[in-house]
Amino acid sequence: MDVTHYVIPDWKVVQDYLEILEFPELKGIIFMQTACQAVQHQRGWRQYNKLRSLLKDARRDCILFANEFQQHCYLLRERGESMEKWQTRSIYNAAVWYYHHCQDRMPIVMVTEDEEAIQQYGSETEGVFVISFKNYLDNFWPDLKAAHELWDSILQSRRERENESQESGGKEYPEHLPLEVLEAGIKSGRYIQGILNVNKHRAQMEAFVRLQGASSKDSDLVSDILIHGMKARNRSIHGDVVVVELLPKDEWKGRTAALCENDNEDKASGESSSEPMPTGRVVGILQKNWRDYVVTFPAKEEVQSQGKNAQKILVTPWDYRIPKIRISTQQAEALQDFRVVVRIDSWESTSVYPNGHFVRVLGRIRDLEGEIATILVENSISVVPFSEAQMCEMPVNTPENPWKVSPEEERERKDLRRTHLVFSIDPKGCEDVDDTLSVRTLNNGNLELGVHIADVTHFVAPNSYIDIEARTRATTYYLADRRYDMLPSILSADLCSLLGGVDRYAVSVMWELDKITYEIKKVWYGRTIIRSAYQLFYEAAQELLDGNVSIIEDIPEFKDLDEKSRQAKLEELVWAIGKLTDIARHIRAKRDRCGALELEGVEIHVQLDEKKNIHDLISKQPLEVHEMVAECMILANHWVAKKIWESFPHQALLRQHPPPHQEFFSELRECAKAKGFSIDTRSNKTLADSLGNAHDPSDPVVNRLLRSMATQAMSNALYVSTGSGAEAEFYHYGLALDKYTHFTSPIRRYSDIVVHRLLMAAISKDKKMEIEENLFSNKDLEELCRHINNRNRAAQHSQKQSTELFQCMYFKDRDPETEERCISDGVVYSIRTNGVLVFIPRFGIKGAAYLKNKDGLVLSCGPDSRSEWKPGSLQRFQNKITSATTGGDSLTFHLFDHVTVRISVQTSRCHSDTIRLEIISNKPYMIPNTELSHQSPLLLKSELVKEVTKSVEEAQLAQDVKVNTIQEEYQEYCQTNGRSLYMLLEEIRDLALLDVSNDMEREIL
């Protein structure tokens, strides 16, 4: 460790200035056990977990010293000595011992906020310096501007809190009950524990508490608990673990059934009626899950209205669900055009708003880089370029020093290079090839099916720097115009990518199948060496399956072959693709009989030009080879899941998909009923069958929407440790499999790396060999699963938000009155009291369309079907809504009606822009240009991204003034070069069952 001294922070410094101690520039920090326990007891689990994360992060040069368990460091507390003085004395005594332990060679700097301690210990021991934290920053880190600004911000916030608590006598909120009262109340059933989930469309009025832990098992409640209004929320913030007291039934309220601004209905829960539901109030908070929040300062005129010297500023969070935050700063005017990161410090019962402090600037409002940085921070995604230490662990593969298979690995692995026809099928231009396939006839006439997955764990050693980084990231993050890789490109796009014509290490699963029935006779797992013969793209594989052999002109491996060799190789490849497809049909049919679901999802492929700019965006047309590859991957995941569970029943990582709550299907059933279909949701089998029968020959969008609603009603699929539940709980509802895991994409998912290590350990166990792999205990694996599940949700949310950002930027610069692209066909899919929810197939957009405006006028359509606003009223029914004007005109919209919609953008200075939909005709939209009508909706979306990228580049060229500090901030987030669009993945829903990957593998979660 290259440091000139060690730093030992006092307990108060760790409590108040942990954010500064997290700066990567500060190295050689020794956290004393005494300080850590003070944080745990006085600041709660949120702060303590941040400290634990810092200590566990091997990338950081800091350690924990258990001074109270060291014989010469432990001090008894003296009679009359305050806890605070004893803690500081203990930490100083441990600092002196540590200095002598290092043979007096490494100076120790103890930083404290205790002036008496500085006077008393400052010059007591040579080599141990006791100074204030401010003094330390000024003398040792004078140029670390961000740390100094953060110190000022935290200090100012602390002083404001102290002043406020002295000045204010009145209470805005009830005090929270003590922890012991809360715990006893939960145990007795008087109180209920759960996670607060604020409705972003009605953030001031509606929040819900989802039952958690013992509460969910012991309670008779089947729905969430409504928390109505800010007073009942009692200073809890979205995501907090809260304790709720139910109100008497006569005080229960119903959720609002009306549309409101930016209502795009992310989750169709079936609770659209306003019937009273369990309602409660928050009486305490068990865990504050506060994070960094992106905020916007008030506009100039708003700041001026608060007074010229005002330092207390109310900033508005980007996330609607977070209340305004009061911070103290003199930079309000300078920062009003920027997105800024703040943190909440406290929310006292005497304060209407929480108090916080300024952390850093992200970027300008509405600037693409600033908005992307906002999305990353809001999802707690921090992805800096891979460090030098991490890259030093990577293998080398250069023209001067090419990588090759080692003799030792050649002896240890099964070599398939000369015995198996191995090939991959991926989107065109795919760089990171996770998986390859093989099939051949054995000597006994049976078939052998093989799935060969990149052997990432060969290159990523447990607890290495790169392993810890991959674990922290947990997944590759895909945004609309960039990606952030989980692993460096030397692995993801080179040595772990199973490219054609090169030797690669793989982990293989190979089954012997009956030659007629395709029933599995035996299975083999192990490490292999492969050389992929063909790197096929999906369309070419489909053409070969369909018998169109002329496509081989587009397959590079067939070039430069003589006619005889070409014909022989072609016959061999066509047979393999055909045989794999036959096998996949059999496997799929078997799962279908058990109730496997086919749900709505959209996948696309992006074409880039030579400069890595967007050339085109092509929808992934459903091909049988997609299903074939997906089915082989599902089979491999299923069999690996069975294997690792059998070997490690209490510490295997599986993918669980629990059955959905039946009440979430109510809207799906009602919608289907409106079209004359009956949806049976009693099991996955009955649901799959009834969705398959719900086809309207005159309107294919109906089935698409019904499947989408079924997807939205599903529970989340989650990673679980097998030691944390009974075997029956591991069933995968969507795939109709008793056990399932993720094994096939270790390049982009850390869960798969864990599973590869478990599989290798299981193989060693079978051979009665020593298990070399470092396996997680059940407790550690549970914690890791929680982390990966959290990061997966963040990846989905950020992907969705970045897609919506591009959609808005595309439509924003177009005149909705005259631009033809802003007029589109829409389908009504949900009825509300003041409007409808509409799906636009052409752009994959869902949103609210009002039938009553803010002036109280209702929508009416004249003889020409064009809409206008008139005085009148709305009447809502189960499957329709009628608008009646005072003049006697009447207009009715039914579920699944096609209407003509105008698309515009509702801009917001403080929040993300949103798509606004307006019904301009009650008739379907007829596209005048026939050529346009034949384009796929996603093809049009390529123009959307191209237009946005182009306009951003032009705006940046025109901008003369550059803000250096902000440009530096951008570098933290940019990992891909330029603005290349690697992949735009559309319609990722929180509860979707489709796992959309970088290689477009269609794999159900």
Side-chain angles (χ1 to χ4, degrees):
M1 190 161 57
D2 186 21
V3 293
T4 58
H5 62 278
Y6 292 152
V7 186
I8 296 181
D10 196 6
W11 64 275
K12 184 71 172 165
V13 173
V14 179
Q15 275 191 11
D16 292 342
Y17 298 107
L18 182 60
E19 292 167 61
I20 299 176
L21 297 173
E22 288 175 332
F23 274 54
E25 290 85 355
L26 272 62
K27 299 179 187 297
I29 304 174
I30 301 169
F31 290 97
M32 293 295 169
Q33 175 194 358
T34 302
C36 295
Q37 287 177 343
V39 170
Q40 181 182 1
H41 294 141
Q42 295 173 43
R43 283 300 168 90
W45 282 102
R46 181 178 65 93
Q47 186 90 340
Y48 184 60
N49 283 335
K50 282 178 70 176
L51 178 57
R52 284 180 66 212
S53 298
L54 181 64
L55 285 163
K56 284 162 65 176
D57 191 342
R59 301 168 298 180
R60 304 300 308 275
D61 294 323
C62 60
I63 62 162
L64 169 69
F65 177 51
N67 61 300
E68 294 182 24
F69 291 101
Q70 212 286 334
Q71 182 182 356
H72 302 291
C73 292
Y74 178 71
L75 293 176
L76 285 170
R77 187 173 161 191
E78 295 174 355
R79 180 173 292 183
E81 185 179 29
S82 70
M83 176 64 77
E84 291 79 5
K85 291 293 180 188
W86 172 77
Q87 287 169 334
T88 300
R89 187 164 65 90
S90 294
I91 291 170
Y92 173 72
N93 186 59
V96 172
W97 181 88
Y98 209 94
Y99 173 67
H100 295 316
H101 175 69
C102 296
Q103 301 179 343
D104 300 357
R105 291 178 182 174
M106 181 64 78
I108 301 282
V109 179
M110 175 177 165
V111 290
T112 180
E113 294 293 280
D114 186 336
E115 287 296 332
E116 286 184 21
I118 294 170
Q119 294 294 325
Q120 183 179 349
Y121 305 128
S123 54
E124 187 174 289
T125 307
E126 186 180 351
V128 179
F129 304 89
V130 183
I131 60 176
S132 72
F133 194 38
K134 174 67 171 152
N135 194 354
Y136 176 72
L137 291 175
D138 289 343
N139 287 288
F140 287 84
W141 299 99
D143 299 324
L144 194 55
K145 188 181 174 188
H148 288 273
E149 288 177 350
L150 189 51
W151 188 89
D152 290 335
S153 180
I154 294 170
L155 183 67
Q156 201 167 14
S157 173
R158 207 172 78 211
R159 284 174 178 165
E160 290 289 347
R161 287 204 310 277
E162 289 166 0
N163 292 339
E164 187 179 87
S165 61
Q166 290 169 7
E167 293 168 8
S168 179
K171 293 203 181 298
E172 296 289 340
Y173 297 96
E175 291 290 350
H176 293 144
L177 297 177
L179 180 62
E180 57 270 20
V181 175
L182 297 175
E183 288 176 341
I186 292 167
K187 199 171 182 180
S188 68
R190 180 181 176 184
Y191 300 139
I192 298 163
Q193 173 185 333
I195 298 172
L196 187 80
N197 185 15
V198 177
N199 182 348
K200 68 178 179 181
H201 306 303
R202 302 174 186 87
Q204 291 297 309
M205 295 307 297
E206 280 189 1
F208 301 90
V209 171
R210 178 145 295 171
L211 306 189
Q212 186 191 46
S215 298
S216 62
K217 293 172 187 170
D218 302 337
S219 173
D220 294 330
L221 296 170
V222 293
S223 72
D224 297 341
I225 299 167
L226 172 66
I227 309 295
H228 190 267
M230 293 297 290
K231 290 284 185 188
R233 212 176 294 175
N234 195 5
R235 295 170 286 146
S236 56
I237 290 174
H238 176 78
D240 286 352
V241 179
V242 297
V243 179
V244 174
E245 181 179 42
L246 273 180
L247 297 175
K249 281 196 175 182
D250 59 354
E251 294 181 36
W252 286 9
K253 298 180 183 295
R255 62 187 298 167
T256 312
L259 297 172
C260 65
E261 294 300 332
N262 78 305
D263 191 340
N264 58 11
E265 203 53 46
D266 278 343
K267 178 168 170 64
S269 64
E271 297 176 335
S272 56
S273 66
S274 55
E275 292 176 11
M277 63 183 291
T279 306
R281 64 185 184 95
V282 173
V283 295
I285 302 173
L286 291 180
Q287 186 174 329
K288 294 173 181 172
N289 287 323
W290 299 347
R291 56 174 173 82
D292 286 0
Y293 299 105
V294 179
V295 302
T296 307
F297 278 76
K300 193 173 184 179
E301 54 274 13
E302 295 175 59
V303 175
Q304 287 173 344
S305 69
Q306 296 181 26
K308 198 166 185 180
N309 298 318
Q311 290 186 353
K312 292 183 181 179
I313 302 292
L314 274 178
V315 293
T316 304
W318 185 83
D319 187 339
Y320 282 97
R321 299 169 299 186
I322 308 303
K324 288 183 177 180
I325 301 166
R326 184 167 52 198
I327 69 167
S328 301
T329 181
Q330 295 175 325
Q331 303 180 63
E333 197 171 318
L335 294 173
Q336 64 183 355
D337 294 328
F338 295 91
R339 300 275 187 228
V340 172
V341 178
V342 302
R343 286 180 184 165
I344 295 175
D345 298 314
S346 66
W347 195 348
E348 307 301 334
S349 61
T350 54
S351 176
V352 178
Y353 300 104
N355 292 298
H357 64 268
F358 163 86
V359 177
R360 69 181 187 276
V361 174
L362 278 187
R364 286 189 179 274
I365 296 170
R366 299 199 179 97
D367 173 81
L368 178 61
E369 291 301 322
E371 297 301 319
I372 290 290
T374 293
I375 289 169
L376 293 173
V377 170
E378 280 296 314
N379 289 286
S380 302
I381 298 171
S382 175
V383 201
V384 294
F386 294 102
S387 70
E388 189 179 341
Q390 291 157 1
M391 295 308 293
C392 282
E393 295 176 343
M394 293 296 95
V396 175
N397 189 25
T398 62
E400 302 78 32
N401 188 11
W403 177 88
K404 54 180 183 285
V405 172
S406 74
E408 183 186 355
E409 291 295 327
E410 215 158 9
R411 287 193 299 272
E412 294 291 327
R413 293 171 180 264
K414 182 176 280 195
D415 194 339
L416 310 182
R417 289 174 290 184
R418 294 170 186 82
T419 56
H420 290 64
L421 174 68
V422 176
F423 57 93
S424 62
I425 306 176
D426 288 286
K428 214 168 191 174
C430 179
E431 292 179 347
D432 41 357
V433 181
D434 273 303
D435 55 85
T436 54
L437 299 166
S438 68
V439 63
R440 63 174 186 159
T441 305
L442 299 174
N443 293 334
N444 62 5
N446 284 339
L447 296 168
E448 182 193 72
L449 168 65
V451 171
H452 315 282
I453 306 299
D455 189 359
V456 172
T457 56
H458 173 80
F459 298 99
V460 178
N463 296 318
S464 60
Y465 285 123
I466 201 63
D467 181 53
I468 291 162
E469 180 64 32
R471 192 187 312 160
T472 303
R473 298 187 183 203
T475 181
T476 292
Y477 298 97
Y478 299 97
L479 276 72
D481 66 333
R482 65 196 74 191
R483 73 176 182 188
Y484 297 96
D485 291 322
M486 186 182 80
L487 295 170
S489 59
I490 180 65
L491 296 183
S492 61
D494 190 1
L495 294 180
C496 289
S497 185
L498 308 180
L499 305 169
V502 291
D503 294 345
R504 289 290 181 262
Y505 295 149
V507 177
S508 301
V509 184
M510 293 190 283
W511 301 266
E512 183 179 332
L513 310 176
D514 184 275
K515 60 186 172 186
I516 298 168
T517 64
Y518 298 145
E519 289 301 314
I520 294 170
K521 298 287 188 183
K522 61 175 78 166
V523 62
W524 179 89
Y525 308 88
R527 282 188 150 133
T528 55
I529 304 172
I530 65 166
R531 183 184 296 142
S532 178
Y534 303 99
Q535 200 173 334
L536 300 175
F537 54 98
Y538 280 119
E539 292 76 14
Q542 187 65 47
E543 291 288 343
L544 291 174
L545 182 62
D546 294 340
N548 181 11
V549 294
S550 62
I551 192 69
I552 64 170
E553 301 301 327
D554 295 335
I555 302 174
E557 290 87 352
F558 281 99
K559 290 176 181 173
D560 305 325
L561 289 177
D562 60 67
E563 189 57 37
K564 188 178 178 182
S565 300
R566 177 186 283 213
Q567 193 58 37
K569 285 183 174 292
L570 176 61
E571 287 176 7
E572 181 185 40
L573 180 59
V574 169
W575 177 85
I577 294 171
K579 189 55 70 177
L580 284 170
T581 306
D582 278 347
I583 294 167
R585 286 174 189 151
H586 172 85
I587 300 167
R588 174 71 205 204
K590 189 176 180 182
R591 285 200 307 110
D592 283 344
R593 289 194 294 273
C594 296
L597 294 165
E598 183 179 335
L599 297 168
E600 172 64 16
V602 178
E603 298 177 25
I604 60 171
H605 173 62
V606 177
Q607 284 186 346
L608 305 177
D609 62 20
E610 292 174 0
K611 295 181 180 178
K612 296 288 183 184
N613 291 319
I614 310 153
H615 173 64
D616 222 335
L617 205 99
I618 301 170
S619 66
K620 179 178 171 183
Q621 300 301 325
L623 305 173
E624 190 168 13
V625 287
H626 291 148
E627 294 294 329
M628 177 262 281
V629 173
E631 212 54 56
C632 292
M633 297 305 118
I634 291 168
L635 185 70
N637 287 331
H638 173 51
W639 277 82
V640 169
K642 291 205 295 186
K643 179 66 179 174
I644 62 175
W645 178 79
E646 286 165 5
S647 298
F648 306 105
H650 303 297
Q651 58 188 117
L653 186 150
L654 295 187
R655 189 74 169 153
Q656 174 198 42
H657 184 224
H661 295 287
Q662 284 298 311
E663 62 267 25
F664 289 168
F665 282 126
S666 58
E667 188 166 1
L668 167 66
R669 287 192 291 260
E670 290 300 328
C671 286
K673 193 175 173 184
K675 272 287 181 182
F677 301 122
S678 174
I679 303 293
D680 186 344
T681 61
R682 287 175 299 172
S683 71
N684 51 0
K685 176 76 170 102
T686 59
L687 176 61
D689 290 345
S690 48
L691 282 172
N693 294 329
H695 278 282
D696 183 341
S698 62
D699 189 0
V701 176
V702 170
N703 188 262
R704 187 176 169 188
L705 273 170
L706 291 175
R707 288 186 185 276
S708 174
M709 287 179 185
T711 304
Q712 302 263 346
M714 294 294 156
S715 308
N716 283 317
L718 298 167
Y719 295 109
V720 294
S721 170
T722 52
S724 60
E727 185 182 352
E729 294 175 17
F730 306 139
Y731 181 73
H732 197 293
Y733 179 88
L735 295 176
L737 294 170
D738 61 338
K739 290 176 191 68
Y740 192 67
T741 193
H742 275 166
F743 159 76
T744 54
S745 292
I747 289 175
R748 64 180 180 88
R749 291 188 305 227
Y750 192 77
S751 55
D752 301 50
I753 289 179
V754 175
V755 169
H756 275 235
R757 288 176 181 151
L758 282 162
L759 180 61
M760 291 304 106
I763 293 167
S764 299
K765 192 175 180 183
D766 286 349
K767 294 177 180 176
K768 302 208 167 21
M769 294 166 56
E770 185 182 343
I771 297 175
E772 296 176 1
E773 285 71 19
N774 292 6
L775 301 184
F776 290 100
S777 66
N778 173 55
K779 185 181 176 185
D780 289 341
L781 188 57
E782 272 188 319
E783 191 174 332
L784 177 62
C785 287
R786 277 194 294 272
H787 168 69
I788 297 175
N789 290 332
N790 175 279
R791 292 297 80 210
N792 278 355
R793 281 192 293 272
Q796 289 181 355
H797 291 159
S798 60
Q799 194 172 53
K800 181 173 180 286
Q801 288 162 356
S802 68
T803 302
E804 289 167 351
L805 170 66
F806 269 78
Q807 286 176 335
C808 288
M809 292 176 81
Y810 174 72
F811 287 111
K812 199 173 182 178
D813 297 329
R814 299 172 186 275
D815 183 353
E817 299 294 332
T818 59
E819 179 71 44
E820 186 192 324
R821 296 268 168 89
C822 293
I823 310 297
S824 190
D825 187 56
V827 185
V828 175
Y829 72 92
S830 187
I831 309 289
R832 298 303 167 91
T833 55
N834 60 340
V836 294
L837 293 175
V838 177
F839 172 58
I840 302 175
R842 181 171 159 193
F843 293 109
I845 293 172
K846 287 181 177 179
Y850 291 90
L851 300 183
K852 179 181 269 189
N853 66 16
K854 290 178 180 177
D855 299 324
L857 303 176
V858 298
L859 193 74
S860 173
C861 288
D864 60 352
S865 299
R866 307 305 291 176
S867 67
E868 52 186 321
W869 297 98
K870 291 182 178 180
S873 61
L874 296 177
Q875 189 172 7
R876 177 194 178 194
F877 301 93
Q878 185 70 56
N879 299 319
K880 63 182 179 179
I881 185 168
T882 299
S883 169
T885 67
T886 52
D889 295 329
S890 168
L891 172 67
T892 300
F893 292 96
H894 297 82
L895 280 175
F896 300 110
D897 276 357
H898 284 250
V899 293
T900 301
V901 177
R902 179 186 289 127
I903 306 168
S904 60
V905 175
Q906 188 160 327
T907 59
S908 171
R909 188 173 164 276
C910 299
H911 309 283
S912 60
D913 293 344
T914 50
I915 294 290
R916 184 168 173 268
L917 304 181
E918 182 185 357
I919 296 174
I920 58 174
S921 169
N922 62 339
K923 302 293 182 192
Y925 177 59
M926 306 306 294
I927 301 174
N929 186 336
T930 54
E931 185 181 335
L932 191 67
S933 68
H934 287 96
Q935 295 186 37
S936 73
L938 296 173
L939 192 62
L940 292 173
K941 203 158 188 180
S942 67
E943 295 165 19
L944 176 157
V945 183
K946 281 194 282 188
E947 287 287 333
V948 171
T949 307
K950 182 182 172 187
S951 65
V952 168
E953 287 171 349
E954 287 172 353
Q956 291 201 337
L957 287 172
Q959 187 181 348
D960 296 323
V961 183
K962 300 285 183 187
V963 184
N964 291 332
T965 56
I966 293 165
Q967 292 297 328
E968 288 168 13
E969 291 288 338
Y970 290 165
Q971 298 308 312
E972 180 182 347
Y973 296 95
C974 293
Q975 194 170 324
T976 48
N977 295 322
R979 285 180 189 79
S980 64
L981 172 63
Y982 179 80
M983 186 168 296
L984 178 58
L985 299 169
E986 178 184 281
E987 290 192 301
I988 304 299
R989 303 175 183 88
D990 293 354
L991 307 176
L993 288 187
L994 288 179
D995 204 10
V996 187
S997 68
N998 57 340
D999 62 357
M1000 299 302 178
E1001 169 193 359
R1002 185 177 183 276
E1003 183 185 306
I1004 302 175
L1005 284 176

